Amino acid sequence: MNGKLKTAATLLICFIMAFTAINFTVSASDLINGDVDMDKEITAADARLILRHVAKLETLTGDALKVADADFDGEITAADARLVLRHVAKLGELEPLKEDDTTTATKPETTTKPEATTKPAAKPT
C-alpha cells in the first residue's frame, strides 16, 4: 500500500506542476526590444520565434508580443525578424523600448496612404 501511495502522490505533484501557471512580474526595465524568448540576449532564436508567429505556427502573447514588434509599427511581420537578424549580424541596431512602449505594442499612426484616384478615360477621336 505504501508504494501505491507514493506513486499517487508523485502523480498528483506532477499533475499540479504541469497545470499550474507560474506568474512572473516583469518590470519595464527587464524588457529588451527584440528579445522574444526573454533570455536577456537578442539572437537568431528570437527572429525564429517572430517568423513562427507570422506563419501562425506559434502564438506570441504578453511581453513576448510587445518586444517582437521590433520596428514599433503595431504589427508583427517578417520585417521585425529581419531587424532582429540585422542586429545579430551587427548590421544595424534595434531601438530600445521606451517607457510607454511597455504598455502597448502599437504606435499611433502618423500618416495614412492617400486613396487612389482615377483619371477619366480619354475620348477617342
Side-chain angles (χ1 to χ4, degrees):
M1 186 74 174
N2 196 13
K4 289 183 180 183
L5 185 59
K6 285 182 182 179
T7 303
T10 302
L11 287 173
L12 180 62
I13 290 170
C14 289
F15 179 78
I16 291 170
M17 289 173 57
F19 293 101
T20 301
I22 300 172
N23 294 322
F24 292 100
T25 303
V26 179
S27 69
S29 62
D30 291 337
L31 298 178
I32 301 169
N33 186 24
D35 182 21
V36 181
D37 59 10
M38 305 290 173
D39 67 353
K40 303 289 184 216
E41 294 182 67
I42 301 170
T43 64
D46 297 305
R48 178 183 170 273
L49 289 171
I50 293 169
L51 290 173
R52 288 183 60 80
H53 177 82
V54 170
K56 298 184 182 348
L57 298 173
E58 193 163 326
T59 301
L60 298 175
T61 59
D63 290 331
L65 190 63
K66 291 176 188 176
V67 298
D69 185 15
D71 59 8
F72 304 111
D73 69 351
E75 297 180 72
I76 310 301
T77 64
D80 297 302
R82 179 183 166 273
L83 286 174
V84 169
L85 288 173
R86 287 183 58 82
H87 176 83
V88 171
K90 299 186 184 342
L91 297 173
E93 288 296 319
L94 291 173
E95 290 183 39
L97 290 172
K98 298 171 202 71
E99 188 64 33
D100 60 335
D101 292 331
T102 59
T103 57
T104 179
T106 60
K107 280 185 165 179
E109 282 189 38
T110 54
T111 60
T112 57
K113 293 182 181 179
E115 291 185 26
T117 57
T118 58
K119 293 183 181 180
K123 293 183 182 179
T125 55

